[in-house]
Amino acid sequence: MPLARAVLPSFYQDSVKLMRLAREIGEKPGVSEVAALMGTPANHEIMLQAGLAEESEVDAGPNDLVLAVEADTQELAYEAIEEARAFLTQARAEGDGGASDFSPSSLAGALAGAPESNLAMISVPGAYAAKEAMDALRSGLHVFLFSDNVSVDDEVALKREAIERDLLLMGPDCGTAYIAGAGLGFANAVKPGRVGCIAASGTGLQAVAAQLDALGEGISHGIGVGGRDLSAEVGGLMTLHALDFLSGDPETELVALISKPPDAEVLPGIEEALENFAKPHVVCFLGAENPGWAETLEDAGHAVAALLKGESSEPENFFAQTGLKEKIASVRPEGVAGSGGVLGLFSGGTLAHESRLILEGLLGDVSWNEDADRHRILDLGDDRYTVGRPHPMIDPESRAEIIAQSVADDGVGVVLFDLMLGRVSARDPAGPLARAIREARGKGRSPVFVASVVGTADDPQDMDEQVRILEDAGVVVLPSNAQATRFAAALVKPELLEGGGS
C-alpha cells in the first residue's frame, strides 16, 4: 500500500498532541495507518514493526518529528502528510503569536517567564524524561510525569529526590491526576471537594473520581503514583509520601487509596502507615484479601460517600437485584449460555484488572492479553496494541475493528468494554463502536455487548448522549465496571442468578 513519510527537524511535540493528530489524520477517507512520533530509537522500532518505515529510512533524531501515512493512493498519502505538517506548523505559529507570546524552549526559560509555577508536566521520550524530571524537582517543582519507559532505577532516584524536597513525583506513566481540583492528563471534569485519592495512574482514579462526582462529592487532590510504586523495587515510596502530603492538606477530609495490591514485602509498611493515619480512609487494593477493604472501585466510591456522611456502606448483592433475571433473558441470544465466552476490550489497565478478578471468581480461568482461554481480557492501552496507533481513549477505531472481528468468532458470546470520557479523550468515543456493533448485528450472529461509561455531566462528550448512542446500538450499559462484568458473567453462566452470586 502507498506510503509517504516526512521528517520535521527540531520539532518536538508532546505525545498527547501527537496521538490526537494521528487520530485526526487517520479519520481521512482512504487513510489506513498513521504515525506521528518523535525520532527516538524505540519509536523507530515501532514504525519498523508497523511497516511504516524501512531500515534505510531510520535517520531522524530524538528531537525530530517523524510523520508517516499509509493510504489507498500515493497522492492521498502525500496529501495527509502535508495536512499534518500544516496543522502542526499553524498550531506552533498560533501558539507563538496568539494570546500569549510566552513560548519557552527550556525549563529554565519557563521558570523565568512564570516564576510562580509550582508544577511541571513532562511528556518527553522515556530516555530523556528522567533528566527533565530531576531538573524540575531540583527547581522546586512538583512533577506530573506522563512519560513511560523510565527505568526503575531512575524512578526510585526521582522519588527519593522528591521526598527529600517535600514534592510530589506523579508517575512515571501517570495518565491522570488532580491537583487542587484541576485535572491533568486523561482527567474527567469533576467537582473540587474534600476527598484525596492516591492511585496508580489512570482509569481507576477516573472511575472513582467520576463516581464521587455523581454522588455529590469532589476531589481535593488525586495523586497518581505510577503503576510500579507498590512493587518491591520501588517500595511504595510515593504512596507513603502522598499519605503524608494528604494528612497535612487542610482541604482533604478523607483519603481513598486505589491500586492493585502491593508486593508482599511492601504491604506491611503500607498497613502500618494506614494504622497511624489520622484521617478517615478507604482502601481498594483490587484482589487483596482484607475484609475491611473495598473489593471493587464502585464499592470504594460508595464507602467514601457514606463515610463522609457518617453512614455505613454495605455492598449490594448484584445477582439478587429485582428484575435482573428477566433482563438477562431478554438480551441473551440462544446459544450464548454454556458455550460462548467473555471477551473484554478495555482502554486501561485498572478496569481490565478489576474485570478479570471478578470474572475469575465467577467463571474460572481468564487469560490476560492472550487468546488461549475461553474468557479473555485485553488491555488495549498496553504498548503491544498501540504500535503505530493512538491510545484507544483518543482513537476508538482499534476497538471498533476488534468488535467487527468478534462476530466471526463462535467462541465469543459476550463483548465487555469500558468507555472513558474526559477532556483528552475522543470527541465521540461511542460513535465508532456503535457503528461497528450495528454492522456486526447486520451480519447475522452477534455476541451480546455490555459496557460501562466513566464520565461526568460536565465532560465535553455529553455523558447522557454517549450512553444513548451505545444503547441505541443495542449495548447493555451498566452503572459501573463491576456491574457490567457481573452482568456479562451471568449471560454465559445463568446459574449465578439462582445461587445469588456475589
Side-chain angles (χ1 to χ4, degrees):
M1 185 169 284
L3 173 69
R5 188 170 180 272
V7 176
L8 279 62
S10 300
F11 204 94
Y12 177 77
Q13 301 289 309
D14 72 74
S15 56
V16 172
K17 182 183 291 185
L18 293 179
M19 285 189 286
R20 298 188 73 170
L21 171 67
R23 181 199 69 199
E24 295 283 346
I25 300 302
E27 290 176 350
K28 289 178 62 65
V31 173
S32 55
E33 293 287 347
V34 179
L37 302 167
M38 301 310 298
T40 64
N43 285 341
H44 284 312
E45 184 62 30
I46 287 173
M47 295 184 69
L48 288 169
Q49 292 178 14
L52 296 174
E54 300 290 342
E55 289 284 357
S56 60
E57 295 178 322
V58 179
D59 51 5
N63 291 319
D64 302 331
L65 174 59
V66 182
L67 302 172
V69 175
E70 192 175 64
D72 291 346
T73 68
Q74 194 69 58
E75 183 179 6
L76 277 175
Y78 284 132
E79 287 178 358
I81 286 285
E82 290 308 309
E83 185 173 330
R85 189 199 302 267
F87 173 86
L88 291 167
T89 303
Q90 180 180 2
R92 173 172 284 193
E94 290 177 350
D96 290 342
S100 172
D101 290 330
F102 180 49
S103 182
S105 59
S106 67
L107 176 63
L111 283 173
E116 73 283 1
S117 300
N118 66 355
L119 183 145
M121 297 179 64
I122 296 176
S123 176
V124 300
Y128 312 96
K131 178 186 181 303
E132 296 298 331
M134 187 64 78
D135 288 347
L137 292 170
R138 289 173 177 170
S139 298
L141 302 174
H142 300 287
V143 171
F144 175 78
L145 187 51
F146 188 83
S147 305
D148 57 5
N149 295 312
V150 175
S151 73
V152 173
D153 289 344
D154 282 338
E155 177 176 347
V156 170
L158 289 168
K159 288 182 173 177
R160 286 177 176 165
E161 185 77 19
I163 292 167
E164 183 177 334
R165 296 175 180 273
D166 197 23
L167 297 168
L168 297 174
L169 188 287
M170 293 169 279
D173 199 13
C174 185
T176 304
Y178 296 90
I179 299 299
L184 305 175
F186 292 99
N188 298 97
V190 301
K191 292 183 284 287
R194 51 183 175 165
V195 180
C197 291
I198 303 171
S201 60
T203 53
L205 174 55
Q206 285 186 262
V208 173
Q211 183 185 6
L212 289 173
D213 186 86
L215 293 171
E217 295 292 345
I219 301 297
S220 57
H221 302 284
I223 301 170
V225 297
R228 296 184 305 208
D229 192 71
L230 293 173
S231 67
E233 293 84 356
V234 183
L237 286 172
M238 195 48 52
T239 298
L240 294 170
H241 185 56
L243 283 169
D244 288 340
F245 176 85
L246 294 175
S247 71
D249 177 45
E251 301 301 320
T252 300
E253 296 182 20
L254 181 147
V255 171
L257 187 53
I258 306 154
S259 178
K260 297 175 186 177
D263 281 357
E265 50 267 65
V266 179
L267 182 58
I270 300 297
E271 290 177 325
E272 181 181 358
L274 290 171
E275 287 174 5
N276 298 319
F277 193 69
K279 293 183 178 181
H281 52 275
V282 170
V283 179
C284 180
F285 285 149
L286 293 169
E289 296 181 1
N290 186 313
W293 293 345
E295 291 187 10
T296 69
L297 300 171
E298 181 181 30
D299 292 346
H302 282 298
V304 167
L307 198 54
L308 287 169
K309 296 175 183 176
E311 302 172 355
S312 60
S313 174
E314 290 294 328
E316 296 182 359
N317 185 337
F318 175 79
F319 295 104
Q321 288 183 49
T322 301
L324 181 62
K325 184 182 295 187
E326 291 75 15
K327 185 173 184 179
I328 291 283
S330 70
V331 299
R332 184 198 299 121
E334 185 177 350
V336 169
S339 60
V342 177
L343 171 62
L345 304 175
F346 288 87
S347 55
T350 302
L351 296 188
H353 179 70
E354 179 182 53
S355 286
R356 185 188 186 191
L357 290 171
I358 294 172
L359 288 176
E360 286 187 327
L362 298 172
L363 303 179
D365 292 341
V366 178
S367 67
W368 180 261
N369 287 338
E370 301 291 344
D371 295 331
D373 296 327
R374 175 187 172 197
H375 310 297
R376 59 192 188 273
I377 297 290
L378 305 182
D379 172 14
L380 299 178
D382 187 87
D383 289 347
R384 75 183 73 184
Y385 298 110
T386 56
V387 172
R389 287 181 175 273
H391 190 282
M393 287 170 63
I394 292 176
D395 181 5
E397 292 293 345
S398 58
R399 276 199 296 185
E401 291 173 11
I402 297 176
I403 283 173
Q405 296 165 6
S406 70
V407 180
D409 188 345
D410 292 335
V412 176
V414 181
V415 176
L416 172 69
F417 63 94
D418 61 344
L419 195 73
M420 306 297 297
L421 310 184
R423 62 175 190 159
V424 181
S425 295
R427 291 189 298 268
D428 175 26
L433 304 182
R435 287 193 294 273
I437 289 166
R438 287 195 182 91
E439 291 175 5
R441 293 186 182 281
K443 295 179 180 178
R445 179 201 173 275
S446 173
V448 181
F449 295 91
V450 182
S452 64
V453 178
V454 173
T456 71
D458 293 325
D459 280 332
Q461 293 85 358
D462 188 338
M463 184 172 177
D464 289 342
E465 176 66 9
Q466 290 293 297
V467 171
R468 184 196 65 77
I469 290 171
L470 292 179
E471 290 181 337
D472 285 352
V475 180
V476 181
V477 181
L478 278 295
S480 72
N481 183 59
Q483 291 192 45
T485 304
R486 289 171 178 142
F487 191 92
L491 281 166
V492 300
K493 189 178 180 181
E495 52 265 40
L496 289 169
L497 300 170
E498 306 301 332
S502 63

